[in-house]
């Protein structure tokens, strides 16, 4: 990809790779500057990596000049969980992930998390968020306490970045409370849009107001037929508003191509370069 206009920091989402060693080798040979394994993949779970294996990954990534990023399990773990033993277990596992991130990275790195969703008990007549509204303070406190504990545990090596996945009024309030404590943001570009392809104005406003805490950007496309995580350029997402916002950040964000398998991420990187060239933006 010589002479192509590419983000300075670019990584792909490691899901189907056979091993992290294999992922590092692929990244080094294919114009990536880093990899982002998803810890929702069982074979990448931290307890599977002994100290000597972690040291091998650290040395290899350093030798190849590749950076790391990490994505916490997001589909089955919720940082709004209030059940005491479950909540403790989730935080403990997140801390194991942070330890793993520290061990394999020789520089500061990041961990992307989802806030998760509290239970939903709609009322007859269509009032779907009544339960959340009536328990607003409890879920806000729970989310803030959990995120604060992870931010503190990760400091200064592992930045906690909250992705715009299913944000609601509780999550947006938690963000405002925690930015001063060191919370970072992950901007997933397609998730800025609803199914009608209209931008989610409240989420967008948070990124506009706090663009210099955007640590990670997720790049993929969305089509009406196949949904999200499609090859960039094959769907309907308008990338230009987000990319214009992201120019001139104090520190370049890490652009993570969430398109699987990795060959499709490779195609996405090429197509993304053409988008940057078309609108004259350098990242």
């Amino acid at each position: 990809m010589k002479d192509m206009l590419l983000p300075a920091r670019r990584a792909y989402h490691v899901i189907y790779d056979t091993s992290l060693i294999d992922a590092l080798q692929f990244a080094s040979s294919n114009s990536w500057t880093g990899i982002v394994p998803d810890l929702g993949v069982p074979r990448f779970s931290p307890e599977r990596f002994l100290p000597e294996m972690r040291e091998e990954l650290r040395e290899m990534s350093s030798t190849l000049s590749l950076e790391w990023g990490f994505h916490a399990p997001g589909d089955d773990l919720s940082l709004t969980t209030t059940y005491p033993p479950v909540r403790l277990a989730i935080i403990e596992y997140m801390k194991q992930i942070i330890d793993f991130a520290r061990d394999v990275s020789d520089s500061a790195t990041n961990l992307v998390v989802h806030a998760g969703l509290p239970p939903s008990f709609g009322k007859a007549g269509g009032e779907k968020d009544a339960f959340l509204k009536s328990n607003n303070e409890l879920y806000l406190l729970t989310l803030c306490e959990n995120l604060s504990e992870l931010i503190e545990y990760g400091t200064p090596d592992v930045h906690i970045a909250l992705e715009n996945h299913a944000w609601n009024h509780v999550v947006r309030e938690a963000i405002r409370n925690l930015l001063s404590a060191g919370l970072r943001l992950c901007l997933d570009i397609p998730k800025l849009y609803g199914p009608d392809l209209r931008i989610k104005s409240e989420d967008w406003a948070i990124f506009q107001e706090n663009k210099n805490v955007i640590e990670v950007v997720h790049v993929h496309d969305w089509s009406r037929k196949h949904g999200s995580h499609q090859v960039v350029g094959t769907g309907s997402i308008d990338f230009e508003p987000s990319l214009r916002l992201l120019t001139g950040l104090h520190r370049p964000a890490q652009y993570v191509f969430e398109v699987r398998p990795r060959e499709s991420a490779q195609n996405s990187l090429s197509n993304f370069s053409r988008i940057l060239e078309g609108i004259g933006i350098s990242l």
Side-chain angles (χ1 to χ4, degrees), residues 79 84 87-96 98 102 111 113 141-155 158 160 178 181 183:
L79 295 176
R87 179 179 175 181
L88 287 172
I90 289 172
I91 294 301
E92 174 59 29
Y93 186 64
M94 291 290 195
K95 288 181 176 180
Q96 290 179 27
I98 291 172
R102 276 200 181 100
L111 173 63
V113 300
L141 178 63
T142 301
L143 179 58
C144 285
E145 286 181 347
N146 286 338
L147 283 171
S148 293
E149 188 168 352
L150 296 180
I151 291 167
E152 182 178 356
Y153 192 79
T155 301
V158 184
I160 305 301
L178 293 174
L183 178 68

Side-chain angles (χ1 to χ4, degrees), residues 25-283:
Q25 292 170 335
F26 179 85
S28 178
S29 301
N30 290 278
S31 300
W32 300 101
T33 66
I35 64 170
V36 176
D38 196 303
L39 281 300
V41 177
R43 64 179 169 278
F44 301 149
S45 194
E47 74 277 0
R48 294 174 180 259
F49 293 86
L50 299 173
E52 56 267 27
M53 299 166 69
R54 299 181 183 211
E55 183 59 29
E56 181 182 7
L57 289 169
R58 183 186 186 98
E59 291 178 359
M60 184 176 183
S61 59
S62 178
T63 298
L64 296 175
S65 299
L66 293 171
E67 70 169 332
W68 294 84
F70 300 86
H71 199 306
D75 295 329
D76 50 4
L77 297 185
S78 173
L79 295 176
T80 64
T81 295
T82 58
Y83 326 118
V86 178
R87 179 179 175 181
L88 287 172
I90 289 172
I91 294 301
E92 174 59 29
Y93 186 64
M94 291 290 195
K95 288 181 176 180
Q96 290 179 27
I97 292 174
I98 291 172
D99 289 339
F100 178 64
R102 276 200 181 100
D103 287 345
V104 302
S105 180
D106 64 358
S107 60
T109 185
N110 63 74
L111 173 63
V112 170
V113 300
H114 292 179
L117 292 171
S120 176
F121 300 99
K123 288 184 175 180
E127 191 179 351
K128 295 182 179 180
D129 60 350
F131 183 77
L132 179 57
K133 287 180 178 178
S134 63
N135 292 274
N136 182 85
E137 293 304 315
L138 172 62
Y139 289 111
L140 176 60
L141 178 63
T142 301
L143 179 58
C144 285
E145 286 181 347
N146 286 338
L147 283 171
S148 293
E149 188 168 352
L150 296 180
I151 291 167
E152 182 178 356
Y153 192 79
T155 301
D157 311 301
V158 184
H159 302 301
I160 305 301
L162 183 63
E163 181 181 344
N164 55 313
H165 177 81
W167 282 1
N168 53 35
H169 66 276
V170 169
V171 177
R172 287 187 284 268
E173 188 171 350
I175 291 170
R176 296 186 180 96
N177 291 346
L178 293 174
L179 286 173
S180 61
L183 178 68
R184 307 293 178 92
L185 298 178
C186 169
L187 168 57
D188 187 302
I189 296 177
K191 288 178 184 172
L192 274 176
Y193 297 89
D196 58 358
L197 291 178
R198 292 185 180 180
I199 204 157
K200 299 175 182 176
S201 58
E202 291 180 288
D203 294 357
W204 179 230
I206 288 178
F207 288 111
Q208 289 177 304
E209 294 163 9
N210 304 285
K211 72 174 190 176
N212 281 308
V213 298
I214 298 174
E215 181 78 14
V216 180
V217 178
H218 287 170
V219 183
H220 51 103
D221 215 327
W222 177 92
S223 73
R224 197 168 299 279
K225 180 178 181 181
H226 298 294
S228 59
H229 301 287
Q230 303 306 310
V231 172
V232 171
T234 66
S236 306
I237 294 300
D238 179 6
F239 291 92
E240 185 169 351
S242 298
L243 298 181
R244 292 205 179 279
L245 177 71
L246 292 163
T247 57
L249 297 184
H250 291 338
R251 178 173 180 265
Q254 182 185 56
Y255 288 78
V256 181
F257 287 73
E258 283 199 328
V259 187
R260 288 85 60 167
R262 62 193 187 186
E263 291 77 15
S264 294
Q266 200 71 39
N267 292 337
S268 293
L269 186 61
S270 298
N271 293 347
F272 190 70
S273 175
R274 285 191 280 274
I275 292 174
L276 294 179
E277 292 171 355
I279 57 181
I281 283 179
S282 176
L283 301 172

